[in-house]
Amino acid sequence: MPPPPTAALSSSSSLCLFPFSSYSSPKKTQLGFCPSFPFTRLINVTPTRRLMTCSAVSIEKETLISHRPHSFLRETDGLDDGSVRSRFLRMIMEVQDSVCGALEAVDGAGKFKEDAWTRPGGGGGISRVLQDGDVFEKAGVNISVVYGVMPPEAYRAAKANVTDQKPGPVPFFAAGISSVLHPKNPFAPTLHFNYRYFETDAPKDAPGAPRQWWFGGGTDLTPSYIFEEDVKHFHSIQKKACDKFDPSFYPRFKKWCDDYFYIKHRDERRGLGGIFFDDLNDNDQEMLLSFATECANSVVPAYVPIVEKRKNTPFTESHKAWQQLRRGRYIEFNLVYDRGTTFGLKTGGRIESILVSLPLTARWEYDHKPKEGGEEWKLLDACMNPKEWI
């Protein structure tokens, strides 16, 4: 696996109530990151390129508001002008509604609590959490919109031409949706997904500079027990979404997902994969917007039928204990390897936002080894040796 960028931002597995921010101060450039917003890199770089370490970090606090606004775009951007920004924002707001509606219908009793907020520098978001329902232990579905300023060294690192030295800070825009869903039943899998769009504007001192943009995201499945028909169903939906645009997408993004969700100290993957991609801008922008939309809209048909099938499956205390051990692995990945989470913890981010993706309960046992050939062993083997499910 390639090493993570030193000043990069990730997270594909965590949620935040407020996104990362960056801005200039009269004394120094300050760069703030979301504690766990779903952007895996602040700038568009190759996997082996590292970024300069920023001089300081800061997180701008959110302001809670009493109602959900029509848009989080600045008026100067146009609230609904047909731009990629406005269409992506409209898409993630619609996906948040559709996913939350589908999950409430599956749960039957639990309802999402909603917090809406804005930021002084522009943007805002909507955080929704369903906790301790009949089916879901915890489910979070958040959207965020960010306006900020990228330090000049980050802009230079993002450019392929190293002689292109823009002296001033570079404005950027970012928007995304991120979700983690933890069911109670150990036979129903955890799901994570996020989709995001990032764009830079021309610096004030270089009005002719080209605008940069890219997409990122993915959807991945983390079961405690393997039901092959469930895993094949999930992966077939991911492949179907990919194949509509490029037959090379699924094998490429499936491997990327297997490699990304790797718990190095355990030598195993967090789950059974799915798709994952980042810094995607080597195709037509309209095509990639449609691709991200297709992937986001595939979440419900990929996941809900599995939960419906497994949510009432009888289970024992032993099954539940194994689920709790796998939840422990989930936590280990988030707290040890998820760059957005660890960065937020080190920079004073809002703890409730940083840790909202974690389950309510988990378990660690000393030197636990499942019986070889058993159902638990089969899951562990698949996490250590990624398989081609379809």
Side-chain angles (χ1 to χ4, degrees):
M1 293 179 63
T6 56
L9 166 81
S10 164
S11 178
S12 38
S13 59
S14 302
L15 304 168
C16 70
L17 183 62
F18 54 92
F20 69 90
S21 62
S22 59
Y23 56 95
S24 298
S25 88
K27 295 182 180 179
K28 65 179 75 173
T29 300
Q30 292 186 319
L31 177 64
F33 294 83
C34 160
S36 22
F37 190 58
F39 292 93
T40 59
R41 285 202 263 297
L42 174 64
I43 60 174
N44 189 14
V45 295
T46 60
T48 57
R49 185 182 299 168
R50 291 179 177 270
L51 311 184
M52 294 183 180
T53 301
C54 302
S55 58
V57 295
S58 176
I59 294 176
E60 187 178 59
K61 299 301 182 182
E62 78 281 3
T63 300
L64 292 175
I65 54 179
S66 59
H67 64 281
R68 171 179 177 159
H70 171 69
S71 176
F72 290 103
L73 297 180
R74 291 173 175 168
E75 291 185 4
T76 53
D77 275 349
L79 298 181
D80 194 9
D81 61 356
S83 66
V84 173
R85 290 185 181 189
S86 64
R87 284 184 288 156
F88 188 87
L89 173 57
R90 186 166 61 249
M91 182 271 284
I92 61 177
M93 293 179 79
E94 291 172 353
V95 169
Q96 185 184 44
D97 285 342
S98 65
V99 170
C100 289
L103 297 179
E104 286 185 347
V106 171
D107 193 275
K111 299 294 181 183
F112 279 91
K113 175 185 176 182
E114 177 177 293
D115 288 323
W117 45 271
T118 60
R119 292 175 56 251
I126 300 169
S127 299
R128 292 180 180 172
V129 178
L130 185 161
Q131 186 166 288
D132 205 18
D134 282 355
V135 173
F136 292 101
E137 179 179 295
K138 186 193 281 186
V141 187
N142 295 355
I143 63 170
S144 296
V145 174
V146 185
Y147 290 87
V149 177
M150 184 185 295
E153 63 266 27
Y155 179 80
R156 288 195 295 270
K159 300 292 290 182
N161 183 0
V162 296
T163 63
D164 184 6
Q165 302 289 314
K166 304 302 179 186
V170 181
F172 72 85
F173 166 88
I177 182 169
S178 185
S179 176
V180 179
L181 314 174
H182 293 295
K184 290 182 173 180
N185 194 302
F187 295 116
T190 286
L191 182 87
H192 158 254
F193 74 90
N194 74 82
Y195 292 95
R196 54 201 177 270
Y197 174 70
F198 197 100
E199 189 177 278
T200 63
D201 287 324
K204 291 182 179 179
D205 57 354
R211 172 175 287 185
Q212 306 294 315
W213 58 266
W214 55 93
F215 292 87
T219 306
D220 61 280
L221 195 71
T222 306
S224 299
Y225 289 91
I226 296 178
F227 294 91
E228 286 207 15
E229 68 264 35
D230 294 352
V231 184
K232 289 179 178 179
H233 166 80
F234 174 79
H235 277 272
S236 69
I237 296 296
Q238 307 313 305
K239 185 177 186 300
K240 182 179 179 182
C242 290
D243 286 353
K244 286 185 178 181
F245 299 88
D246 189 325
S248 72
F249 277 2
Y250 175 75
R252 174 184 169 193
F253 299 154
K254 192 266 185 187
K255 184 180 186 305
W256 200 338
C257 187
D258 288 336
D259 290 343
Y260 181 80
F261 294 104
Y262 177 63
I263 308 172
K264 186 176 181 180
H265 63 270
R266 298 281 189 182
D267 190 25
E268 63 188 70
R269 275 69 186 173
R270 190 180 71 180
L272 301 186
I275 59 172
F276 180 83
F277 57 88
D278 199 15
D279 300 336
L280 205 60
N281 63 2
D282 51 357
N283 297 88
D284 177 76
Q285 189 177 31
E286 289 293 326
M287 185 270 262
L288 291 178
L289 174 60
S290 297
F291 173 59
T293 301
E294 181 72 24
C295 290
N297 285 329
S298 297
V299 168
V300 171
Y303 181 63
V304 168
I306 298 174
V307 179
E308 286 279 16
K309 188 187 300 183
R310 306 301 172 190
K311 66 181 182 180
N312 295 319
T313 302
F315 61 88
T316 67
E317 287 299 319
S318 176
H319 296 136
K320 191 66 178 178
W322 174 248
Q323 181 197 44
Q324 300 303 289
L325 287 169
R326 296 312 302 174
R327 293 274 173 83
R329 298 292 203 270
Y330 202 98
I331 292 170
E332 287 178 26
F333 178 86
N334 279 28
L335 297 184
V336 177
Y337 297 107
D338 188 276
R339 294 187 298 272
T341 299
T342 54
F343 195 96
L345 292 173
K346 292 177 181 178
T347 54
R350 184 176 183 267
I351 296 301
E352 294 303 317
S353 303
I354 299 168
L355 302 182
V356 71
S357 67
L358 302 183
L360 294 182
T361 58
R363 180 184 181 99
W364 285 266
E365 292 182 17
Y366 179 75
D367 198 27
H368 181 275
K369 293 182 175 65
K371 181 180 178 181
E372 187 170 348
E375 295 303 314
E376 293 80 6
W377 181 88
K378 291 178 182 177
L379 184 281
L380 183 59
D381 179 66
C383 289
M384 298 180 72
N385 303 289
K387 303 180 185 301
E388 298 301 323
W389 296 100
I390 55 175

